[in-house]
Every structure is written in structure tokens, then in C-alpha cells.
Coordinates of all heavy atoms in Angstrom, one line a residue:
M1 N 14.6 49.1 9.8 CA 13.8 48.6 8.7 C 13.4 47.2 8.9 O 14.3 46.4 9.4 CB 14.6 48.7 7.4 CG 14.8 50.1 6.9 SD 15.7 50.1 5.4 CE 14.4 50.5 4.2
S2 N 12.3 46.8 8.6 CA 11.9 45.4 8.8 C 12.1 44.7 7.5 O 12.1 45.2 6.4 CB 10.4 45.4 9.2 OG 9.6 45.8 8.1
K3 N 12.3 43.4 7.6 CA 12.5 42.5 6.5 C 11.2 42.2 5.8 O 10.1 42.1 6.5 CB 13.1 41.2 6.9 CG 14.5 41.2 7.2 CD 15.0 39.8 7.5 CE 16.4 39.6 7.6 NZ 16.8 38.2 7.8
K4 N 11.2 42.1 4.5 CA 10.0 41.7 3.8 C 9.9 40.2 3.8 O 10.8 39.5 3.5 CB 10.1 42.3 2.3 CG 8.8 42.0 1.6 CD 8.9 42.6 0.2 CE 7.6 42.3 -0.5 NZ 7.6 42.9 -1.9
N5 N 8.7 39.7 4.0 CA 8.5 38.2 4.0 C 8.6 37.7 2.6 O 8.1 38.3 1.6 CB 7.1 37.9 4.5 CG 7.0 38.1 6.0 OD1 8.0 38.1 6.7 ND2 5.8 38.2 6.5
K6 N 9.3 36.6 2.4 CA 9.5 36.0 1.2 C 8.6 34.8 1.0 O 8.4 34.0 2.0 CB 10.9 35.4 1.0 CG 11.8 36.2 0.1 CD 13.1 35.6 -0.2 CE 13.8 34.8 0.8 NZ 15.2 34.5 0.4
D7 N 8.0 34.6 -0.1 CA 7.2 33.4 -0.4 C 8.1 32.3 -0.6 O 9.1 32.4 -1.4 CB 6.3 33.6 -1.6 CG 5.1 34.6 -1.3 OD1 4.8 34.8 -0.1 OD2 4.6 35.1 -2.3
I8 N 7.9 31.1 0.0 CA 8.7 29.9 -0.2 C 7.8 28.8 -0.6 O 6.7 28.6 0.0 CB 9.4 29.5 1.2 CG1 10.3 30.6 1.6 CG2 10.1 28.2 1.0 CD1 10.9 30.4 3.0
E9 N 8.2 28.2 -1.7 CA 7.4 27.1 -2.3 C 7.7 25.8 -1.6 O 8.9 25.3 -1.6 CB 7.6 27.0 -3.8 CG 6.8 25.9 -4.5 CD 7.0 25.8 -5.9 OE1 7.4 26.9 -6.5 OE2 6.9 24.7 -6.5
V10 N 6.7 25.1 -1.0 CA 6.9 23.8 -0.4 C 6.2 22.8 -1.3 O 5.1 22.9 -1.7 CB 6.2 23.8 1.0 CG1 6.3 22.4 1.6 CG2 6.8 24.8 1.9
R11 N 7.0 21.8 -1.7 CA 6.5 20.7 -2.6 C 6.2 19.5 -1.7 O 6.9 19.2 -0.8 CB 7.6 20.3 -3.6 CG 7.6 21.1 -4.9 CD 8.4 20.4 -5.9 NE 9.3 19.4 -5.5 CZ 10.6 19.5 -5.6 NH1 11.2 20.5 -6.1 NH2 11.4 18.5 -5.1
I12 N 5.2 18.8 -2.1 CA 4.8 17.5 -1.4 C 4.9 16.4 -2.4 O 4.3 16.5 -3.5 CB 3.4 17.6 -0.9 CG1 3.3 18.8 0.1 CG2 2.9 16.3 -0.3 CD1 1.9 19.1 0.6
E13 N 5.7 15.4 -2.1 CA 5.9 14.2 -3.0 C 5.5 13.0 -2.2 O 5.8 12.9 -1.0 CB 7.3 14.1 -3.5 CG 7.7 15.2 -4.4 CD 9.1 15.1 -4.9 OE1 9.8 14.1 -4.6 OE2 9.5 15.9 -5.7
E14 N 5.0 12.0 -2.9 CA 4.7 10.7 -2.3 C 5.5 9.6 -3.0 O 5.7 9.7 -4.2 CB 3.2 10.4 -2.4 CG 2.3 11.3 -1.6 CD 0.8 10.9 -1.7 OE1 0.4 10.2 -2.6 OE2 0.1 11.4 -0.8
E15 N 6.0 8.7 -2.2 CA 6.7 7.6 -2.8 C 6.5 6.3 -1.9 O 6.2 6.4 -0.7 CB 8.2 7.9 -2.9 CG 9.0 7.9 -1.6 CD 10.5 8.1 -1.8 OE1 10.8 8.9 -2.7 OE2 11.2 7.5 -1.0
Q16 N 6.5 5.2 -2.6 CA 6.3 3.9 -1.9 C 7.7 3.4 -1.4 O 8.7 3.5 -2.1 CB 5.7 2.9 -2.8 CG 4.3 3.1 -3.1 CD 3.6 1.8 -3.6 OE1 4.3 0.8 -3.9 NE2 2.3 1.8 -3.7
Q17 N 7.7 3.0 -0.1 CA 8.8 2.4 0.5 C 8.4 1.3 1.4 O 7.3 1.2 1.8 CB 9.6 3.5 1.4 CG 10.3 4.5 0.7 CD 11.2 5.4 1.6 OE1 11.0 5.3 2.8 NE2 12.0 6.2 1.0
K18 N 9.4 0.4 1.6 CA 9.1 -0.7 2.5 C 9.5 -0.3 3.9 O 10.6 0.1 4.2 CB 10.0 -1.9 2.1 CG 9.3 -3.2 2.2 CD 10.1 -4.3 1.6 CE 9.1 -5.2 0.9 NZ 9.7 -6.4 0.4
V19 N 8.6 -0.4 4.8 CA 8.8 -0.1 6.3 C 8.3 -1.3 7.1 O 7.1 -1.6 7.0 CB 8.0 1.2 6.7 CG1 8.2 1.5 8.1 CG2 8.5 2.4 5.8
D20 N 9.2 -1.8 7.9 CA 8.8 -3.0 8.7 C 8.2 -4.1 7.8 O 7.2 -4.7 8.2 CB 7.9 -2.6 9.8 CG 8.5 -1.6 10.8 OD1 9.7 -1.7 11.0 OD2 7.7 -0.8 11.4
G21 N 8.7 -4.3 6.7 CA 8.3 -5.4 5.8 C 7.0 -5.1 5.0 O 6.5 -6.0 4.3
Q22 N 6.4 -3.9 5.1 CA 5.2 -3.6 4.4 C 5.5 -2.4 3.5 O 6.2 -1.5 3.8 CB 4.1 -3.2 5.4 CG 3.6 -4.4 6.2 CD 2.5 -3.9 7.1 OE1 2.3 -2.7 7.4 NE2 1.8 -4.9 7.7
Q23 N 4.8 -2.4 2.3 CA 4.9 -1.3 1.4 C 3.9 -0.2 1.9 O 2.7 -0.5 2.1 CB 4.4 -1.8 0.0 CG 5.5 -2.6 -0.8 CD 6.6 -1.7 -1.2 OE1 7.7 -1.8 -0.7 NE2 6.5 -0.9 -2.2
V24 N 4.5 1.0 2.1 CA 3.6 2.1 2.5 C 3.9 3.3 1.7 O 5.0 3.4 1.1 CB 3.9 2.4 4.0 CG1 3.4 1.3 4.9 CG2 5.3 2.8 4.3
I25 N 3.0 4.2 1.6 CA 3.2 5.5 0.9 C 3.7 6.5 1.9 O 3.0 6.9 2.9 CB 2.0 6.0 0.2 CG1 1.6 5.0 -0.8 CG2 2.2 7.3 -0.4 CD1 0.3 5.3 -1.5
I26 N 4.9 7.0 1.7 CA 5.5 8.1 2.5 C 5.3 9.4 1.9 O 5.6 9.6 0.7 CB 7.0 7.8 2.7 CG1 7.2 6.4 3.4 CG2 7.7 8.9 3.4 CD1 8.4 6.1 4.1
T27 N 4.9 10.4 2.6 CA 4.8 11.8 2.1 C 6.0 12.6 2.5 O 6.3 12.7 3.7 CB 3.5 12.4 2.7 OG1 2.4 11.5 2.5 CG2 3.2 13.8 2.1
K28 N 6.7 13.2 1.5 CA 7.8 14.0 1.8 C 7.5 15.5 1.5 O 6.8 15.8 0.5 CB 9.0 13.6 0.9 CG 9.4 12.1 1.1 CD 10.7 11.8 0.4 CE 10.8 12.1 -1.1 NZ 12.0 11.6 -1.7
L29 N 8.1 16.4 2.3 CA 8.0 17.8 2.1 C 9.3 18.3 1.7 O 10.3 18.1 2.4 CB 7.5 18.5 3.4 CG 6.0 18.5 3.6 CD1 5.5 17.1 4.0 CD2 5.6 19.5 4.6
L30 N 9.4 19.1 0.6 CA 10.6 19.6 0.1 C 10.5 21.1 -0.1 O 9.5 21.6 -0.6 CB 11.0 18.9 -1.2 CG 11.1 17.4 -1.1 CD1 10.1 16.7 -2.0 CD2 12.5 17.0 -1.5
I31 N 11.6 21.8 0.1 CA 11.8 23.2 -0.2 C 13.0 23.2 -1.2 O 14.1 22.9 -0.7 CB 12.0 24.1 1.0 CG1 10.7 24.1 1.8 CG2 12.4 25.5 0.5 CD1 10.8 24.9 3.1
G32 N 12.8 23.5 -2.4 CA 13.8 23.3 -3.4 C 14.2 21.9 -3.5 O 13.3 21.0 -3.7
K33 N 15.5 21.5 -3.4 CA 15.9 20.2 -3.4 C 16.1 19.6 -2.0 O 16.4 18.4 -1.8 CB 17.2 20.0 -4.1 CG 17.1 20.3 -5.6 CD 18.4 20.1 -6.3 CE 18.2 20.4 -7.8 NZ 19.5 20.3 -8.5
K34 N 15.9 20.4 -1.0 CA 16.1 20.0 0.4 C 14.8 19.4 1.0 O 13.7 20.0 1.0 CB 16.5 21.2 1.3 CG 16.8 20.9 2.7 CD 17.2 22.1 3.5 CE 17.4 21.7 4.9 NZ 17.7 22.9 5.8
E35 N 14.9 18.2 1.6 CA 13.8 17.6 2.2 C 13.8 18.1 3.7 O 14.7 18.0 4.4 CB 14.0 16.0 2.3 CG 12.8 15.3 2.9 CD 13.0 13.8 2.8 OE1 13.3 13.3 1.8 OE2 12.8 13.2 3.9
I36 N 12.6 18.7 4.0 CA 12.5 19.2 5.4 C 11.8 18.3 6.4 O 11.8 18.5 7.6 CB 11.8 20.6 5.4 CG1 10.3 20.5 4.9 CG2 12.6 21.6 4.6 CD1 9.5 21.8 5.1
G37 N 11.1 17.3 5.8 CA 10.4 16.3 6.7 C 9.7 15.3 5.9 O 9.5 15.4 4.7
R38 N 9.3 14.2 6.6 CA 8.5 13.1 6.0 C 7.5 12.6 7.0 O 7.6 12.7 8.2 CB 9.4 12.0 5.4 CG 10.3 11.4 6.4 CD 11.2 10.3 5.8 NE 11.9 10.6 4.6 CZ 12.2 9.7 3.7 NH1 11.9 8.5 3.9 NH2 12.9 10.1 2.6
I39 N 6.4 12.1 6.4 CA 5.3 11.6 7.2 C 5.1 10.1 6.8 O 4.9 9.8 5.6 CB 4.0 12.3 6.8 CG1 4.1 13.8 7.1 CG2 2.8 11.8 7.7 CD1 3.1 14.7 6.5
V40 N 5.3 9.3 7.8 CA 5.3 7.8 7.6 C 4.1 7.2 8.3 O 3.9 7.4 9.5 CB 6.6 7.2 8.2 CG1 6.6 5.7 7.9 CG2 7.8 7.8 7.6
P41 N 3.2 6.4 7.6 CA 2.1 5.8 8.3 C 2.5 4.8 9.4 O 3.4 4.0 9.1 CB 1.4 5.1 7.2 CG 1.9 5.6 5.9 CD 3.3 6.1 6.2
K42 N 2.0 5.0 10.6 CA 2.3 4.1 11.7 C 1.3 2.9 11.7 O 1.7 1.8 11.8 CB 2.3 4.9 13.0 CG 2.9 4.1 14.1 CD 3.0 5.1 15.3 CE 3.6 4.4 16.5 NZ 3.7 5.3 17.6
D43 N 0.0 3.3 11.7 CA -1.1 2.3 11.6 C -2.2 3.0 10.9 O -2.0 4.1 10.3 CB -1.4 1.7 13.0 CG -1.8 2.8 14.0 OD1 -2.5 3.8 13.6 OD2 -1.5 2.6 15.2
S44 N -3.4 2.5 10.9 CA -4.5 3.1 10.1 C -4.9 4.4 10.6 O -5.5 5.2 9.9 CB -5.7 2.1 10.2 OG -6.2 2.0 11.5
K45 N -4.6 4.8 11.9 CA -5.0 6.1 12.4 C -3.9 7.0 12.9 O -4.2 8.1 13.3 CB -6.0 5.9 13.5 CG -7.3 5.2 13.1 CD -8.2 5.0 14.3 CE -9.5 4.3 13.8 NZ -10.4 4.2 14.9
K46 N -2.7 6.6 12.7 CA -1.6 7.5 13.2 C -0.4 7.5 12.2 O -0.2 6.6 11.4 CB -1.0 6.9 14.5 CG -2.0 7.1 15.7 CD -1.4 6.7 17.0 CE -2.4 6.9 18.1 NZ -1.9 6.6 19.4
F47 N 0.3 8.6 12.2 CA 1.4 8.9 11.3 C 2.6 9.4 12.2 O 2.4 10.2 13.1 CB 1.0 9.9 10.3 CG -0.1 9.5 9.4 CD1 -1.4 9.7 9.8 CD2 0.1 8.9 8.2 CE1 -2.5 9.3 8.9 CE2 -0.9 8.5 7.3 CZ -2.2 8.7 7.7
T48 N 3.8 9.0 11.8 CA 5.0 9.4 12.5 C 5.6 10.5 11.6 O 5.7 10.4 10.4 CB 6.0 8.2 12.6 OG1 5.3 7.2 13.4 CG2 7.2 8.6 13.4
L49 N 6.1 11.5 12.3 CA 6.8 12.6 11.6 C 8.3 12.4 11.8 O 8.8 12.1 12.9 CB 6.4 14.0 12.3 CG 4.9 14.4 12.2 CD1 4.8 15.7 12.9 CD2 4.4 14.3 10.8
E50 N 9.0 12.7 10.7 CA 10.5 12.6 10.8 C 11.1 13.9 10.2 O 10.7 14.3 9.1 CB 11.0 11.4 9.9 CG 10.6 10.1 10.4 CD 11.1 8.9 9.5 OE1 11.8 9.2 8.5 OE2 10.8 7.8 9.8
M51 N 11.9 14.5 11.0 CA 12.6 15.7 10.6 C 14.1 15.5 11.0 O 14.4 15.1 12.1 CB 12.0 17.0 11.3 CG 10.6 17.3 10.8 SD 10.0 18.8 11.6 CE 11.0 20.0 10.9
N52 N 15.0 15.9 10.1 CA 16.4 15.7 10.4 C 16.8 14.3 10.8 O 17.5 14.1 11.7 CB 16.9 16.7 11.4 CG 16.6 18.1 11.0 OD1 16.7 18.5 9.8 ND2 16.3 19.0 12.0
S53 N 16.1 13.3 10.1 CA 16.4 11.9 10.4 C 16.0 11.4 11.8 O 16.5 10.4 12.3 CB 17.8 11.5 10.1 OG 18.1 11.8 8.7
E54 N 15.2 12.2 12.5 CA 14.7 11.9 13.8 C 13.2 11.8 13.8 O 12.5 12.6 13.2 CB 15.2 12.9 14.8 CG 16.7 13.0 15.0 CD 17.0 14.1 16.0 OE1 16.2 14.6 16.7 OE2 18.2 14.5 16.0
N55 N 12.7 10.9 14.6 CA 11.2 10.9 14.8 C 10.9 12.0 15.8 O 11.4 12.2 16.9 CB 10.8 9.6 15.5 CG 10.8 8.4 14.5 OD1 11.0 8.6 13.3 ND2 10.8 7.2 15.0
T56 N 10.0 12.9 15.3 CA 9.7 14.1 16.1 C 8.2 14.1 16.7 O 7.9 15.0 17.4 CB 9.8 15.4 15.3 OG1 9.0 15.3 14.2 CG2 11.3 15.6 14.9
G57 N 7.4 13.1 16.4 CA 6.1 13.0 16.9 C 5.2 12.2 16.2 O 5.5 11.6 15.2
T58 N 3.9 12.2 16.6 CA 2.9 11.4 16.0 C 1.7 12.3 15.8 O 1.4 13.2 16.6 CB 2.4 10.2 16.9 OG1 3.6 9.5 17.2 CG2 1.4 9.4 16.3
V59 N 1.0 12.2 14.6 CA -0.2 13.0 14.3 C -1.3 12.0 13.8 O -1.0 10.9 13.6 CB 0.1 14.0 13.2 CG1 1.1 15.1 13.8 CG2 0.7 13.4 12.0
K60 N -2.5 12.6 13.7 CA -3.7 11.8 13.4 C -4.0 11.8 11.9 O -4.7 11.0 11.4 CB -4.9 12.2 14.1 CG -4.8 12.0 15.6 CD -6.0 12.5 16.3 CE -5.8 12.3 17.8 NZ -7.0 12.9 18.6
S61 N -3.4 12.8 11.1 CA -3.6 12.8 9.7 C -2.4 13.4 8.9 O -1.6 14.0 9.5 CB -4.9 13.7 9.4 OG -4.6 15.1 9.7
V62 N -2.4 13.2 7.6 CA -1.3 13.7 6.8 C -1.4 15.2 6.8 O -0.3 15.9 6.9 CB -1.4 13.2 5.4 CG1 -0.4 13.9 4.4 CG2 -1.2 11.7 5.3
E63 N -2.6 15.8 6.8 CA -2.7 17.3 6.8 C -2.1 17.9 8.1 O -1.4 18.9 8.0 CB -4.2 17.7 6.6 CG -4.8 17.4 5.3 CD -5.2 15.9 5.1 OE1 -5.3 15.2 6.1 OE2 -5.4 15.5 3.9
E64 N -2.4 17.2 9.2 CA -1.9 17.7 10.5 C -0.3 17.6 10.5 O 0.4 18.4 11.0 CB -2.5 16.9 11.6 CG -2.0 17.4 13.0 CD -2.6 16.5 14.1 OE1 -3.5 15.7 13.9 OE2 -2.2 16.8 15.3
G65 N 0.2 16.5 9.9 CA 1.6 16.3 9.8 C 2.3 17.4 8.9 O 3.3 17.9 9.3
I66 N 1.6 17.7 7.8 CA 2.2 18.8 6.9 C 2.3 20.1 7.7 O 3.3 20.8 7.7 CB 1.3 18.9 5.7 CG1 1.5 17.7 4.8 CG2 1.7 20.2 4.9 CD1 0.5 17.6 3.6
E67 N 1.2 20.5 8.4 CA 1.2 21.7 9.2 C 2.2 21.7 10.2 O 2.9 22.7 10.4 CB -0.2 21.9 9.8 CG -1.3 22.2 8.8 CD -2.7 22.3 9.5 OE1 -2.7 22.4 10.8 OE2 -3.7 22.3 8.8
T68 N 2.4 20.6 10.9 CA 3.4 20.5 12.0 C 4.8 20.6 11.5 O 5.6 21.4 12.1 CB 3.2 19.2 12.8 OG1 1.9 19.1 13.3 CG2 4.2 19.1 13.9
I69 N 5.1 20.0 10.4 CA 6.5 20.0 9.8 C 6.8 21.4 9.4 O 7.9 22.0 9.7 CB 6.6 19.0 8.7 CG1 6.7 17.6 9.2 CG2 7.9 19.3 7.9 CD1 6.6 16.5 8.2
I70 N 5.9 22.1 8.7 CA 6.1 23.5 8.2 C 6.3 24.4 9.4 O 7.2 25.3 9.4 CB 5.0 23.9 7.3 CG1 5.0 23.2 6.0 CG2 5.0 25.5 7.0 CD1 3.8 23.4 5.1
R71 N 5.4 24.2 10.4 CA 5.5 25.1 11.6 C 6.9 24.9 12.3 O 7.6 25.9 12.7 CB 4.4 24.7 12.6 CG 4.3 25.7 13.8 CD 3.1 25.4 14.7 NE 1.9 25.1 14.0 CZ 1.3 23.9 14.1 NH1 1.7 23.0 14.8 NH2 0.1 23.8 13.5
Q72 N 7.4 23.6 12.5 CA 8.7 23.4 13.1 C 9.8 23.9 12.2 O 10.8 24.4 12.8 CB 8.8 21.9 13.3 CG 7.9 21.3 14.4 CD 8.1 21.9 15.8 OE1 9.3 22.2 16.1 NE2 7.1 22.2 16.5
W73 N 9.7 23.8 10.9 CA 10.7 24.3 10.0 C 10.8 25.8 10.1 O 11.9 26.4 10.2 CB 10.4 23.9 8.6 CG 11.5 24.3 7.6 CD1 12.7 23.7 7.4 CD2 11.5 25.5 6.8 NE1 13.4 24.4 6.5 CE2 12.7 25.5 6.1 CE3 10.6 26.5 6.6 CZ2 13.0 26.5 5.2 CZ3 10.9 27.5 5.7 CH2 12.1 27.5 5.0
N74 N 9.7 26.5 10.2 CA 9.7 28.0 10.4 C 10.3 28.4 11.7 O 11.0 29.4 11.7 CB 8.2 28.5 10.3 CG 7.7 28.7 8.9 OD1 8.5 28.9 7.9 ND2 6.5 28.5 8.7
L75 N 10.1 27.7 12.7 CA 10.7 28.0 14.0 C 12.2 27.8 14.0 O 12.9 28.5 14.7 CB 10.1 27.1 15.1 CG 8.6 27.4 15.5 CD1 8.1 26.4 16.5 CD2 8.5 28.9 16.0
A76 N 12.7 26.8 13.3 CA 14.1 26.5 13.2 C 14.9 27.5 12.4 O 16.0 27.7 12.6 CB 14.3 25.1 12.7
E77 N 14.2 28.1 11.4 CA 14.9 29.0 10.5 C 15.1 30.4 11.1 O 14.5 30.9 11.9 CB 14.1 29.2 9.2 CG 14.2 27.9 8.4 CD 15.6 27.6 7.9 OE1 16.3 28.4 7.3 OE2 16.1 26.5 8.2

């Protein structure tokens, strides 16, 4: 028998934090109360991805970052 796919709700929250002396808006992805990743602006055209408290890569947009974090989370589960 095969498993039935379960729908999982991913929440996106934004918060202001100080990074390298500058106030930036960080985008966090959460499943329930667990944070699965965050997207931190690096400069005007690049964003750094953080998963499990580690930098995992650089993307060109927040949307690309969201897709990448969800994809990596699905592979790890």
C-alpha cells in the first residue's frame, strides 16, 4: 500500500533584525512552530538562505529562496 500525501501548511513571517549594523527584513518559513529556514538580504540583488543555523546558499529573489527552502526540507524529510 502506498502512503497518502498529507497537506502541510507553510507559514511565511517577516521580521526586522539588525544584521551587520543595518536593519533588514528577514523572511522566515515555519511549519507549525518549527522554523525550517530563513531568507536574509545580502545586498540589493542577492539573498542568503539559512537552514538549521547554517548558510546553505544564495538566491536572486525571495520567491526563489522560498522554493529552495521548501525543496530542501522535503528532501530531508
